[in-house]
């Protein structure tokens, strides 16, 4: 049975897309049949996989509003075991269009029902908000990975996210769990990174992954080349970090 994992945090710039792209790529490299879905109107996962965000044919937008089945929006990537459902600018309007639809929180869950068993993992990159696109993702998901950056105010707003996860669990998706909390942008030279890491581990205890994602120049360069880190520089610290995270996720 496949696992649907949402990558969510309503704060921007915490490493959501980096995690979605690189976790799904490393899963695919481990020969797990993986589907990456870009639910963010900014389409960074789409461009991070080397696909033009403005001209990519069918996208998750057409799927959500019921125009097309999800099969018609699935695209291949440079990794044999990784497929992608792209985002598009039209997704900005989807929040408004979904408001009047029946079972509006379950559109993604319904769409994925047709294909879920074709994959071992479905990874969904959420937008940096707690609107209907994120609610749809949480309703469809089995679990959530929460990236937290090792900087000031790291835990700010997390209460709101946990509250939303709790409400979705209570009303829409009783099986939803927190898969894990991932520390990103870690710099071992800075006391601040160590303090934030300690605080997050105190707060979330065993839910925090042992793997931390270090600040890494190669990791931040890779998206501009439209490649996941394992195709851009497999010997980099970033590639090592995400391969270690993938082992933890697969063992979970």
């Amino acid at each position: 049975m496949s696992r649907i994992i949402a990558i969510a945090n309503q704060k921007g710039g915490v490493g959501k897309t980096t995690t979605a792209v690189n976790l799904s790529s490393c899963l695919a490299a481990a020969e797990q049949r993986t589907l990456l879905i870009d639910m963010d109107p900014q389409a960074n996962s789409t461009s991070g996989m080397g696909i033009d965000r403005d001209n990519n044919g069918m996208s998750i937008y057409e799927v959500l509003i019921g125009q097309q089945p999800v099969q018609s929006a699935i695209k291949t990537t440079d990794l044999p075991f990784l497929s992608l459902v792209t985002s598009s600018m039209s997704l900005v309007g989807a929040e408004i269009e979904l408001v009047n639809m029946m079972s509006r929180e379950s559109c993604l869950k319904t769409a994925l029902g047709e294909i879920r068993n074709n994959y071992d993992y479905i990874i969904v990159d959420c937008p940096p908000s707690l609107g209907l696109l994120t609610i749809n993702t949480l309703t469809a998901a089995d679990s959530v990975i929460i990236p937290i950056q090792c900087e000031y105010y790291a835990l700010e707003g997390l209460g709101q996210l946990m509250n939303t996860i709790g409400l979705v669990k209570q009303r829409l998706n009783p099986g939803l769990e927190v898969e894990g909390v991932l520390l990103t942008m870690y710099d071992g030279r800075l006391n601040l990174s160590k303090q934030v890491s300690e605080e997050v581990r105190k707060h979330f205890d065993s839910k925090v992954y042992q793997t931390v994602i270090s600040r890494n120049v190669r990791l931040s360069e890779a998206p501009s080349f439209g490649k996941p880190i394992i195709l851009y520089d497999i010997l980099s610290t970033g590639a090592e970090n995400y391969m270690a995270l993938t082992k933890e996720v697969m063992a979970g």
Side-chain angles (χ1 to χ4, degrees):
M1 187 64 174
S2 67
R3 284 163 70 186
I4 302 177
I5 303 175
I7 314 288
N9 188 332
Q10 78 271 29
K11 279 180 79 171
V14 297
K16 263 195 313 294
T17 297
T18 302
T19 297
V21 165
N22 291 302
L23 173 60
S24 52
S25 300
C26 289
L27 285 165
E31 300 195 348
Q32 301 295 304
R33 296 166 306 158
T34 307
L35 178 65
L36 172 61
I37 300 177
D38 190 351
M39 281 286 276
D40 187 347
Q42 294 171 66
N44 290 334
S45 279
T46 300
S47 58
M49 290 303 302
I51 293 177
D52 182 355
R53 68 178 81 188
D54 299 319
N55 186 24
N56 59 49
M58 293 300 171
S59 71
I60 194 65
Y61 167 75
E62 285 81 10
V63 175
L64 284 175
I65 63 165
Q67 272 185 8
Q68 293 289 334
V70 69
Q71 287 95 326
S72 63
I74 294 172
K75 297 173 178 65
T76 56
T77 70
D78 291 339
L79 289 157
F81 284 84
L82 180 60
S83 301
L84 172 70
V85 176
T86 57
S87 175
S88 75
M89 282 300 291
S90 310
L91 207 52
V92 173
E95 296 259 1
I96 299 153
E97 290 175 63
L98 287 170
V99 167
N100 297 319
M101 286 175 73
M102 288 278 289
S103 306
R104 60 190 180 190
E105 298 92 355
S106 306
C107 297
L108 183 64
K109 183 177 186 173
T110 305
L112 293 184
E114 304 165 24
I115 58 149
R116 140 163 225 170
N117 291 333
N118 301 347
Y119 296 96
D120 299 307
Y121 290 90
I122 298 175
I123 307 292
V124 190
D125 184 16
C126 291
S129 72
L130 294 176
L132 261 177
L133 295 174
T134 297
I135 300 294
N136 255 275
T137 306
L138 295 176
T139 302
D142 299 309
S143 58
V144 192
I145 290 176
I146 306 169
I148 297 178
Q149 85 282 36
C150 294
E151 290 171 3
Y152 280 117
Y153 310 125
L155 291 169
E156 196 179 69
L158 266 190
Q160 206 183 344
L161 175 61
M162 297 309 291
N163 194 30
T164 302
I165 291 170
L167 284 172
V168 169
K169 190 176 165 79
Q170 194 182 327
R171 298 179 186 175
L172 298 162
N173 182 4
L176 184 65
E177 298 294 341
V178 173
E179 176 89 17
V181 174
L182 176 66
L183 292 161
T184 63
M185 305 177 197
Y186 184 85
D187 187 338
R189 297 166 303 178
L190 301 179
N191 279 334
L192 177 63
S193 280
K194 291 172 187 167
Q195 284 162 7
V196 171
S197 172
E198 281 167 25
E199 198 178 339
V200 170
R201 288 186 192 281
K202 207 184 300 173
H203 199 272
F204 287 100
D205 196 29
S206 61
K207 285 287 183 194
V208 185
Y209 289 111
Q210 288 305 306
T211 303
V212 297
I213 308 300
S214 301
R215 280 197 176 279
N216 179 238
V217 173
R218 305 297 276 169
L219 190 58
S220 45
E221 283 173 356
S224 59
F225 290 88
K227 289 182 187 296
I229 190 63
I230 56 168
L231 293 183
Y232 181 62
D233 185 354
I234 198 162
L235 299 177
S236 65
T237 304
E240 275 176 35
N241 291 167
Y242 275 107
M243 286 190 282
L245 172 68
T246 301
K247 277 186 191 161
E248 282 195 67
V249 170
M250 286 172 67

